[in-house]
């Protein structure tokens, strides 16, 4: 049996046991993390990632791979393993000038975090609700978008709570997280190791500090821990306690900490919105008072199209604006388009890139530009969004022309010459990649 099949079989066994014993907290899991398990985790770890505080590269680690993995295994199981601090860097937040903190674990830490993640993830996958889509196997943002579209269409619209949890990843309380974790995983080695990662500290500008809360974004295991916490704090509470007591239909769609809760009745929506802050504060979280909104999203009536009518609002979720429009047959349907802010950010990022590479060879620029545009279409290319994709294409062409023109003082690249250039170096045309009809 090769290592990949070995790990896959073990994970299936863990999942089956978790499904068979839904009320059990597993006390013996660390033994799964053996040399073969760590070797497979090492294979799955990116080799070109940024270096951690120890400066250890993947190539350097691989020079004595077996010895390093044996030492890691022994340290992990004996309790001698010490989690190194996380190196903190800042990256632009979705094209904004605002910067988002990112944690960079060491290469060895990434391997062990992945190994531990593979042990506990199959357990929680049996517990997680269908409404959860973020950072889960075989699930994606497009699955969440489809679930929201189908749910609202089937319900004929309604009232939507667009929930924003204030600085979620930075405010998770460690003590609360550990208690939640122990409901299904109480293996001492696993729990202590996760505790070490939480208490490892953050290295920033040569100074080490210990924040006392939050999961550093960038850690391999951080998204899973964040999902586990919100599963118990929000998902389980809504599905087991709240929804059964409502008068009308309701459902939730969540992608990590991006949450929308949909209701058929306004009365139900307002009741839940009133108790949400209390529920979150019980676990050390807070609802953003300005970004959290209650949106009337009922299917519009004909008279609402006339002057003076009150039209339904729009729902923003995962970079898309959802609104009521009309199909080609004239029926009322929910339409999605790229959010204005997301489109503006994407074009701003593209402008910065074109400026930075304007003196490179056109062949090189064209190849990289095509790759970037294809990536954009792969995410935003969903049913009903073709017009927004067209805007993106037009503006990218204009941006590229602008910065190619700056290469020379003559600036003679008019639109006729640009069209000739695009025949030689054609850019990817807008296309629908994800059809949800």
């Amino acid at each position: 049996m090769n290592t990949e099949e070995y790990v896959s079989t073990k994970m299936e066994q863990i999942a089956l046991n978790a499904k068979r014993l839904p009320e059990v907290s597993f006390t013996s899991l660390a033994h799964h993390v053996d040399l073969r398990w760590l070797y497979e985790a090492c294979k799955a770890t990116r080799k070109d990632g940024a270096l951690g505080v120890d400066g250890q590269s993947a190539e350097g680690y691989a020079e004595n791979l077996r010895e390093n993995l044996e030492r890691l295994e022994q340290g992990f199981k004996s309790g001698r393993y010490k989690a190194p601090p996380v190196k903190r860097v800042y990256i632009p937040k979705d094209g904004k000038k605002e910067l988002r903190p990112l944690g960079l674990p060491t290469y060895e830490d990434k391997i062990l975090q992945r190994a531990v993640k593979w042990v506990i993830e199959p357990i929680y996958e049996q517990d997680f609700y269908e409404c959860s889509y973020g950072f889960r196997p075989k699930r994606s943002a497009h699955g969440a978008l489809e679930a929201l579209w189908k749910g609202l269409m089937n319900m004929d619209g309604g009232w939507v709570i667009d929930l924003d949890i204030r600085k979620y990843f930075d405010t998770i309380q460690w003590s609360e997280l550990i208690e939640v974790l122990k409901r299904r995983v109480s293996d001492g080695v696993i729990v202590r190791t996760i505790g070490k990662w939480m208490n490892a500290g953050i290295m920033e500008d040569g100074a080490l500090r210990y924040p006392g809360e939050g999961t550093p974004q960038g850690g391999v295991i951080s998204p899973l821990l964040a999902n586990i916490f919100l599963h118990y704090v929000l998902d389980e509470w809504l599905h087991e306690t709240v929804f059964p007591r409502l008068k009308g239909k309701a459902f939730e769609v969540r992608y990590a900490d991006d949450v929308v809760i949909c209701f058929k009745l306004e009365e139900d929506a307002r009741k839940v919105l009133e108790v949400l802050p209390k529920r979150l504060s019980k676990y050390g979280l807070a609802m953003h008072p300005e970004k959290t909104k209650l949106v009337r999203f009922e299917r519009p009536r004909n008279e609402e199209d006339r002057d003076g009518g009150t039209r339904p609002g729009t729902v923003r979720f995962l970079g898309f604006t959802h609104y009521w429009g009309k199909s080609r047959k004239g029926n009322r349907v929910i339409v999605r388009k790229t959010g204005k802010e997301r489109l503006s950010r994407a074009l701003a990022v593209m402008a910065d890139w074109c400026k930075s590479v304007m003196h490179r060879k056109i062949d090189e620029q064209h190849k990289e530009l095509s790759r970037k545009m294809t990536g954009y279409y792969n995410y935003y290319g969903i049913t009903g969004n073709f017009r927004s994709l067209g805007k993106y294409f037009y503006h990218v062409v204009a941006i590229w022309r602008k910065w190619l023109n700056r290469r020379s003082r003559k600036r003679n690249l008019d639109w006729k010459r640009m069209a000739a250039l695009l025949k030689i170096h054609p850019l990817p045309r807008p296309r629908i990649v994800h059809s949800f009809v």
Side-chain angles (χ1 to χ4, degrees), residues 229-244:
F229 197 53
L230 266 191
H231 165 73
Y232 289 110
V233 173
L234 189 63
D235 301 349
E236 186 180 68
W237 173 68
L238 285 173
H239 286 79
E240 304 300 328
T241 304
V242 176
F243 289 166

